Amino acid sequence: MSEKITFTPINFTGWGSLSHLLDEVHRFHVKKILVITDPVLKDIGLTNQVVDPLEEAGYLTEIYTDVVPEPPLAVGEKLVAYTRANEFDMVIGVGGGSALDLSKLAGVLASHEGKVEDYLNLAGTKQIMKKGLPKILIPTTSGTGSEVTNISVLSLETTKDVVTHDYLLADVAIVDPALTVSLPPKVTASTGIDALTHAVEAYISKNASVVSDALALQAIRLISHSLRTAVSNGEDKQARTDMSYGSYLAGLAFFNAGVAGVHALAYPLGGQFHLAHGDSNAVLLPYVMGYIRKSCEKKMKDIYDAMGFSSTNLSQEEASYRCVAELKRLVEDVNIPSTLTGFAIPRDALESLTEDATKQTRILARSPMPLLREDIYTIYQAAFDGIIAEK
């Protein structure tokens, strides 16, 4: 059986890789560049590492900072309208997943008509037909993998939807771990578990392949071995480097294999209660994996080994149980609440969360175990009570 594997055309990775930016911009023969970034990055001066060399080289740049976590549809609409009105030649995204997702959206839809909502996966009626502006994406977190995916996630009233097309892929991704050193422990933890979730779900996905499996397992190794250190000592160069590579590989893995149940259930938490996406994934990861454990015991045994443990004398069943326990322990060790009550989610919200999660059919289809409405409710209930439930 043949498999399609897709990658961003040009990728620079490793400490100091931002030094390649200027040469890459020169290749596109542009004049006016829109730099989309998180406002805090502009405030602390990190964005200057991108903008100053561009301006010194004679490029016109504008910095756009109307970026918020879990960006609502209205934020995307405003940015696309701004990009269209100001006739930019290139978009550079600098920041976390929200800034990068919005950059992809602006770059592509700048050359299209209609609203952003017309292009949403679940509710849209229009098709993306043009590549749009060249896009360079520069992550400053180790988590989302957005720099190497073709998806832009937007928050709706109670859930999320995406705009997705290969034209949203970056022309150039620059993954420089030096840019992540200033990331606070809380954000390091949340984005790090997000990246781990991408790798785990890619590995167990029904769409997994030999290539995505290799990427996912190496991502799990790197993240599991470095996340605690990166959270406790953000200036540890090796930990930041390993997390950066781990997030990047996890992004490549889930872009090609997809994510599944954890993300499907996480989206409504973000939509209804505005939890950070990484926190939503973190609080659900052990409960979803515990519930579907029987459908992927062998792969969970592999994940357990990749996390640094030995399953040599264990059955697949026992190793899979221990894998779930270690995933939960890692979430707790980086100080993320491991129950919904830890995020003040009320029990009476479980029904509405379940209702919205069932709508994530694109994602749920990749789960190795079919997750019906009653299954989804049971998982939310388990996450509320803090007790791993099984199918």
Side-chain angles (χ1 to χ4, degrees):
M1 182 178 67
S2 64
E3 296 162 339
K4 177 187 176 184
I5 303 295
T6 307
F7 296 100
T8 301
I10 296 177
N11 302 258
F12 293 97
T13 61
W15 203 272
S17 55
L18 184 61
S19 62
H20 296 282
L21 174 63
L22 206 54
D23 286 343
E24 290 305 305
V25 172
H26 289 337
R27 290 196 303 110
F28 291 95
H29 306 289
V30 298
K31 294 181 180 179
K32 188 176 181 182
I33 302 171
L34 177 62
V35 178
I36 300 169
T37 190
D38 299 289
V40 67
L41 298 183
K42 184 175 184 292
D43 292 342
I44 67 174
L46 190 148
T47 310
N48 293 344
Q49 295 184 48
V50 172
V51 173
D52 288 353
L54 294 174
E55 293 187 340
E56 289 169 9
Y59 293 102
L60 299 174
T61 64
E62 289 191 26
I63 301 176
Y64 187 96
T65 61
D66 193 1
V67 173
V68 296
E70 320 298 319
L73 178 61
V75 171
E77 298 282 11
K78 180 180 177 182
L79 171 59
V80 169
Y82 181 85
T83 309
R84 289 172 178 169
N86 288 276
E87 299 182 343
F88 294 100
D89 304 315
M90 170 180 275
V91 170
I92 298 178
V94 184
S98 297
L100 303 190
D101 278 9
L102 289 170
S103 299
K104 292 187 280 190
L105 198 69
V108 172
L109 294 189
S111 62
H112 290 73
E113 295 181 348
K115 296 183 176 180
V116 174
E117 66 179 332
D118 296 331
Y119 298 90
L120 291 173
N121 179 67
L122 295 177
T125 57
K126 291 182 180 294
Q127 298 293 318
I128 289 175
M129 304 298 293
K130 303 173 185 176
K131 191 173 186 298
L133 306 177
K135 300 175 293 298
I136 297 178
L137 300 183
I138 307 169
T140 60
T141 68
S142 298
T144 69
S146 180
E147 70 276 7
V148 291
T149 71
N150 67 354
I151 300 170
S152 178
V153 183
L154 295 164
S155 296
L156 307 182
E157 286 188 11
T158 60
T159 186
K160 295 183 179 182
D161 202 348
V162 302
V163 177
T164 178
H165 192 282
D166 278 356
Y167 285 158
L168 270 74
L169 281 170
D171 295 278
V172 180
I174 299 176
V175 184
D176 188 339
L179 299 176
T180 69
V181 170
S182 61
L183 207 62
K186 187 175 186 297
V187 183
T188 299
S190 178
T191 55
I193 296 292
D194 187 20
L196 180 65
T197 304
H198 292 154
V200 169
E201 291 214 282
Y203 191 61
I204 65 163
S205 168
K206 288 173 66 175
N207 294 345
S209 68
V210 172
V211 174
S212 66
D213 281 354
L215 294 166
L217 284 177
Q218 181 63 2
I220 292 167
R221 291 186 193 101
L222 290 167
I223 295 166
S224 299
H225 297 176
S226 59
L227 179 56
R228 291 178 177 90
T229 302
V231 170
S232 63
N233 180 15
E235 294 187 359
D236 188 299
K237 183 175 180 179
Q238 190 61 54
R240 287 298 192 186
T241 299
D242 288 349
M243 284 301 303
S244 186
Y245 275 116
S247 171
Y248 168 74
L249 294 173
L252 292 173
F254 93 82
F255 173 44
N256 284 285
V259 289
V262 178
H263 277 72
L265 274 66
Y267 278 177
L269 281 177
Q272 292 188 31
F273 295 97
H274 308 293
L275 262 66
H277 180 60
D279 287 346
S280 299
N281 278 333
V283 72
L284 291 168
L285 177 61
Y287 301 101
V288 173
M289 296 306 296
Y291 191 80
I292 69 171
R293 183 192 58 78
K294 292 179 182 177
S295 69
C296 51
E297 281 185 351
K298 169 62 171 66
K299 287 210 161 185
M300 290 187 68
K301 184 175 185 287
D302 297 339
I303 292 170
Y304 181 70
D305 287 335
M307 291 181 73
F309 304 96
S310 175
S311 65
T312 302
N313 298 316
L314 302 177
S315 66
Q316 288 184 12
E317 180 182 36
E318 178 59 28
S320 68
Y321 276 120
R322 294 194 186 190
C323 178
V324 173
E326 290 303 331
L327 290 172
K328 190 169 186 288
R329 189 192 314 276
L330 181 53
V331 171
E332 292 169 344
D333 284 352
V334 295
N335 301 313
I336 299 176
S338 60
T339 66
L340 293 180
T341 55
F343 289 103
I345 308 298
R347 186 181 291 274
D348 61 13
L350 301 189
E351 280 289 348
S352 63
L353 289 170
T354 300
E355 182 63 30
D356 283 342
T358 60
K359 298 173 184 175
Q360 297 295 331
T361 53
R362 177 182 64 91
I363 303 175
L364 288 168
R366 305 185 192 117
S367 174
M369 176 185 289
L371 294 176
L372 305 177
R373 194 182 196 284
E374 55 268 29
D375 301 310
I376 293 170
Y377 183 87
T378 300
I379 295 169
Y380 277 131
Q381 190 170 46
F384 183 88
D385 294 330
I387 301 171
I388 303 295
E390 284 197 36
K391 175 71 172 179

